[in-house]
């Protein structure tokens, strides 16, 4: 690509890859580089959630990743003496986003399946073994000086650049952007074992957070025979000594021995809680670990980065096509930073429960938690820990459910049941309850939707889902997911963004007129 690309992405980890695929799907001419010649071969992330699966589904890749994804087991927090002090589970079906709310996955083949999809996207050019050296911002584009593995220097030009280049981000350093530290820096040893099939019965059936002051640890049930232990290093322990194979098997001795499986890998990490102060400088953005790092106690580090990608992709596409002003891109930080910060604070507070090393304080913690949640503790749902977006390209003044994720029910069609997005797509949508007729929808809103490639979904209670026109659908759901959502929020219509966040709502047919104005204002459509 010798001309100016629309977007250049530096870093093809999970976040850069999903951003490239999301842009490619929208026809945005994207050039994506990575300094490595292949994906990172070892797993880091092991858990993901339904919001991320919906992003992958929208890219048409759900079947491609399916072999590497499995259910997430419930999580027990065990206090002193193994007492269960908290229990988290996934929400029961019908699932609000159309997928099991929490899942485990094997990262390397999962990432490979997504990266492979880029090779089929004409709008995306991938260059591996290519390292970003320097960025220079010009008036209408950015120059990226890159170095190939053969030592060749080259300049790539793009209207916008996104640094998805991980925690040590060269892009972030080039921009001189600092992290805000949320004050969590704990050293942990992470061990992955492929356990022999006939030894799996020796291990716990649930995920376990061992909140044991003598040795805090996490046990994760991965897909198939993959099991992970994350073990906190105690004061004075040296990371290099602790990752020796003999030490690892000694640490794992409580659960299993070398005769029970194959050590896949072990590495020590400092678990951090960091959020970049700025997420944009001129034409350059940060996403994923380049913008934030989260301790893994909620399995949300990568998920947060993929949310960044889903948030930024449609905004870049709209601005590049001239459908919205550049100011729309400022809503990226406005929306994502508080969301990441809140989620990271929650992960950190779970980490503080687990990492307590003082036996007296740990005893106090157990008593307090059991007093709060009962003994045995009531089940809590992990997904309720994920916040809504607070402000940005949203009609926040309307309150809930604006800023939350629009549900994805299973629907009935002439050819059988399917998830809503597979039938009606994932562009902008006006979704109306049976209380609203087609005549009540203002022309203005129909025109804006049509200009942006959006559609109208009429939820009905009988029959089967069917297309009405190329851009409008009648929707009949299998369960009560959408109907219950409309009832719970006392609304009759919702405007939904391509990343599935609710932009604005109408509480009665008369409010539909105001929706049109809100739509344009939120998207910075009018000059
Ligand atoms: C032990 C552990 C457990 C975790 N568990 C979970 C979990 O269960 N769930 C979850 O959601 N998250 C989890 N995470 C977090 C997750 O792994 C990261 O958030 C995620 O990998 C970040 O993805 P990324 O694409 O932003 O960055 P990375 O995966 O770091 O990718 C960055 C890419 O940029 C490239 N690059 C770097 N510099 C340059 C340059 N100058 N030029 C070109 N390319 C460059 C690199 O080669 C790399 O491919 C865990 C992390 C750890 C360490």
């Amino acid at each position: 690509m010798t001309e100016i690309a629309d977007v250049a992405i530096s870093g093809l980890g999970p976040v850069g890859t999903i951003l490239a695929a999301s842009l490619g799907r929208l026809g945005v001419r994207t050039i994506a580089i990575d300094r490595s010649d292949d994906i990172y071969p070892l797993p880091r992330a092991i858990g993901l959630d339904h919001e991320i699966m919906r992003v992958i589904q929208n890219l048409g890749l759900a079947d491609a990743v399916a072999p590497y994804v499995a259910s997430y087991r419930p999580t027990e927090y065990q206090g002193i003496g193994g007492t269960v002090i908290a229990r988290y589970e996934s929400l029961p079906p019908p699932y609000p986003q159309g997928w099991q709310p929490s899942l485990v996955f094997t990262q390397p083949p999962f990432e490979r399946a997504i990266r492979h999809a880029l090779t089929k996207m004409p709008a995306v050019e991938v260059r591996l073994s290519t390292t970003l050296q320097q960025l220079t911002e010009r008036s209408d584009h950015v120059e990226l000086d890159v170095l190939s593995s053969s030592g060749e220097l080259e300049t790539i030009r793009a209207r916008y650049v996104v640094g998805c280049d991980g925690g040590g981000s060269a892009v972030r350093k080039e921009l001189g952007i600092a992290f805000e530290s949320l004050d969590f820096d704990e050293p942990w040893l992470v061990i992955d074992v492929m356990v022999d099939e006939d030894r799996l019965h020796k291990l716990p059936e649930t995920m376990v957070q061992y909140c044991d002051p003598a040795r805090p640890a996490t046990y994760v049930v991965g897909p198939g025979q993959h099991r992970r232990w994350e073990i906190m290093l105690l004061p004075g322990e040296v990371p290099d000594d602790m990752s020796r194979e003999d030490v690892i098997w000694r640490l794992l001795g409580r659960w299993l021995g070398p005769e029970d499986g194959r050590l896949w890998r072990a590495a020590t990490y400092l678990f951090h809680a960091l959020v970049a102060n700025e997420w944009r400088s001129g034409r350059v953005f940060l996403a994923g670990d380049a913008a934030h790092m989260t301790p893994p106690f909620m399995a949300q580090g990568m998920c947060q980065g993929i949310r960044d990608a889903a948030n930024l992709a449609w905004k870049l596409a709209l601005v590049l096509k001239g459908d919205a002003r550049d100011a729309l891109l400022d809503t990226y930080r406005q929306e994502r930073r508080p969301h990441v910060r809140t989620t990271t604070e929650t992960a950190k507070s779970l980490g503080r429960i687990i990492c307590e090393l003082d036996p007296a304080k740990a005893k106090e913690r157990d008593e307090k938690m059991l007093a709060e949640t009962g003994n045995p503790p009531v089940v809590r749902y992990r997904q309720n820990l994920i916040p809504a977006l607070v402000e940005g390209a949203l009609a926040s003044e309307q309150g809930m459910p604006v800023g939350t994720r629009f549900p994805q029910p299973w629907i009935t069609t002439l050819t059988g049941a399917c998830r809503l997005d597979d039938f009606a797509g994932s562009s902008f949508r006006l979704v109306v309850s049976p209380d609203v007729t087609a005549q009540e929808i203002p022309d203005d809103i129909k025109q804006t939707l049509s200009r942006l490639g959006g559609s109208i979904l009429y939820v009905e209670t009988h029959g089967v889902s069917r297309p009405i026109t190329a851009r409008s659908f009648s929707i009949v759901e299998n369960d009560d997911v959408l109907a219950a959502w409309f009832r719970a929020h006392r609304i009759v219509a919702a405007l939904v963004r391509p990343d599935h966040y609710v932009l604005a709502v109408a509480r009665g047919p008369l409010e539909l007129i105001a929706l049109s104005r809100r739509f344009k204002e939120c998207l910075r459509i009018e000059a």
Side-chain angles (χ1 to χ4, degrees):
M1 217 182 261
T2 49
E3 76 274 29
I4 300 180
D6 289 330
V7 177
I9 298 171
S10 180
L12 275 172
V15 174
T17 306
I18 288 196
L19 178 61
S22 304
L23 291 168
R25 176 172 163 262
L26 296 170
V28 175
R29 290 171 318 117
T30 302
I31 183 157
I33 64 164
D34 198 285
R35 68 180 171 197
S36 303
D37 62 353
D38 202 354
I39 56 158
Y40 188 66
L42 298 171
R44 285 169 296 166
I46 192 165
L48 52 80
D49 69 21
H50 51 178
E51 192 176 348
I52 304 316
M53 272 312 293
R54 194 171 179 183
V55 171
I56 287 164
Q57 172 201 351
N58 294 160
L59 292 172
L61 297 173
D63 288 344
V65 303
Y68 318 114
V69 176
S71 299
Y72 200 101
R73 308 256 184 105
T75 304
E76 281 186 3
Y77 281 59
Q78 295 185 5
I80 292 174
T83 308
V84 178
I85 53 172
R87 187 176 165 94
Y88 283 93
E89 290 188 10
S90 285
L91 293 166
Y95 301 130
Q97 295 294 310
W99 294 94
Q100 278 187 24
S102 295
L103 296 148
V104 285
F105 72 113
T106 308
Q107 190 174 2
F110 177 95
E111 245 184 276
R112 189 174 298 289
I114 298 170
R115 190 183 283 185
H116 178 68
L118 299 182
T119 60
K120 298 186 184 149
M121 294 189 159
V124 180
E125 180 183 332
V126 171
R127 290 201 205 166
L128 301 178
S129 306
T130 302
T131 305
L132 176 73
Q133 302 280 304
Q134 194 179 318
L135 289 171
T136 312
E137 186 160 348
R138 304 289 179 201
S139 60
D140 66 347
H141 70 276
V142 185
E143 288 175 1
L144 300 89
D145 293 332
V146 301
L147 184 68
S148 72
S149 58
S150 60
E152 244 174 273
L153 262 176
E154 199 199 329
T155 301
I156 293 171
R157 292 174 183 78
R159 300 273 173 227
Y160 293 99
V161 173
V162 189
C164 300
D165 47 351
S169 172
V171 174
R172 192 186 64 243
K173 287 175 189 157
E174 274 276 297
L175 300 177
I177 293 175
F179 273 131
E180 176 194 9
S181 170
L182 302 185
D183 191 23
F184 191 93
D185 301 282
E186 300 290 351
W188 282 64
L189 171 65
V190 178
I191 305 165
D192 289 285
V193 179
M194 295 306 283
V195 179
D196 293 348
E197 189 96 51
D198 59 350
R199 306 300 169 97
L200 288 170
H201 66 90
K202 293 170 78 169
L203 297 170
E205 292 197 344
T206 62
M207 315 275 198
V208 185
Q209 298 287 3
Y210 296 95
C211 311
D212 174 1
R215 177 67 80 185
T218 301
Y219 165 72
V220 184
V221 183
Q225 291 155 256
H226 180 190
R227 298 292 180 270
R228 170 174 289 182
W229 285 264
E230 295 172 358
I231 296 179
M232 187 173 165
L233 300 189
L234 303 177
E237 287 179 341
V238 179
D240 280 351
D241 295 346
M242 296 304 285
S243 30
R244 280 201 338 254
E245 194 163 338
D246 58 321
V247 179
I248 287 167
W249 285 117
R250 182 166 53 73
L251 287 167
L252 293 184
R254 165 177 182 183
W255 297 278
L256 79 181
E259 66 287 358
D260 295 318
R262 175 175 63 83
L263 184 62
W264 188 4
R265 71 89 185 240
T268 51
Y269 292 91
L270 252 190
F271 289 168
H272 292 297
L274 302 168
V275 187
N277 290 327
E278 297 305 327
W279 291 44
R280 171 183 193 182
S281 170
R283 295 179 166 271
V284 186
F285 299 83
L286 299 175
D289 274 19
H292 44 78
M293 275 184 271
T294 305
F297 304 109
M298 278 169 75
Q300 279 293 318
M302 179 195 74
C303 295
Q304 306 222 69
I306 292 175
R307 281 191 199 102
D308 298 343
N311 186 294
L312 191 53
W314 66 267
K315 292 177 182 173
L316 280 169
L318 230 56
V319 171
L320 281 158
K321 285 182 189 148
D323 283 332
R325 285 180 289 131
D326 179 89
L328 177 64
L329 298 173
D330 289 333
T331 65
Y332 168 60
R333 174 194 190 271
Q334 205 184 359
E335 293 178 359
R336 291 297 307 138
R337 191 177 192 279
H339 192 274
V340 163
R341 204 177 180 289
T342 305
T343 308
T344 305
E345 285 284 7
T346 307
K348 193 184 98 177
S349 63
L350 294 177
R352 290 267 179 255
I353 293 173
I354 300 158
C355 295
E356 182 56 67
L357 295 179
D358 179 331
K361 286 190 185 153
K363 186 165 171 284
E364 234 174 77
R365 169 204 65 199
D366 290 3
E367 287 164 2
K368 184 164 173 272
M369 286 179 69
L370 289 173
E372 276 168 16
T373 62
N375 190 2
V378 289
V379 168
R380 288 187 273 189
Y381 296 115
R382 298 164 58 82
Q383 286 64 45
N384 296 346
L385 300 174
I386 305 293
L389 296 179
V390 179
E391 57 172 357
L394 307 160
S396 315
E397 71 283 0
Q398 292 192 295
M400 290 282 273
V402 170
T404 65
R405 286 152 302 174
F406 184 72
Q408 174 175 228
W410 279 79
I411 62 167
T412 311
T413 74
L414 271 176
T415 51
C418 72
R419 293 181 177 91
L420 175 65
D421 298 353
D422 290 338
F423 183 74
S426 57
S427 58
F428 285 101
R429 280 143 286 162
L430 175 68
V431 189
V432 297
S433 77
D435 299 324
V436 175
T437 62
Q439 293 71 34
E440 285 173 309
I441 299 174
D443 283 344
D444 204 19
I445 217 167
K446 288 181 184 160
Q447 280 155 13
T448 310
L449 277 170
S450 153
R451 195 170 118 207
L452 301 178
S455 41
I456 302 179
L457 277 54
Y458 298 92
V459 180
E460 290 176 4
T461 48
H462 299 294
V464 289
S465 309
R466 62 199 152 77
I468 302 169
T469 65
R471 289 263 153 229
S472 64
F473 303 86
S474 113
I475 299 296
V476 181
E477 60 177 335
N478 286 9
D479 303 299
D480 198 35
V481 173
L482 274 186
W485 188 80
F486 276 115
R487 274 198 310 275
H489 295 294
R490 300 197 176 142
I491 57 174
V492 297
L495 253 178
V496 183
R497 313 187 321 188
D499 57 5
H500 306 299
Y501 281 84
V502 177
L503 183 148
V505 292
R507 299 192 196 278
L510 283 178
E511 281 193 18
L512 285 167
I513 295 159
L515 263 193
S516 179
R517 172 183 54 78
R518 291 197 158 104
F519 196 8
K520 289 182 188 162
E521 277 175 8
C522 288
L523 295 185
R524 281 62 173 170
I525 282 181
E526 277 165 347

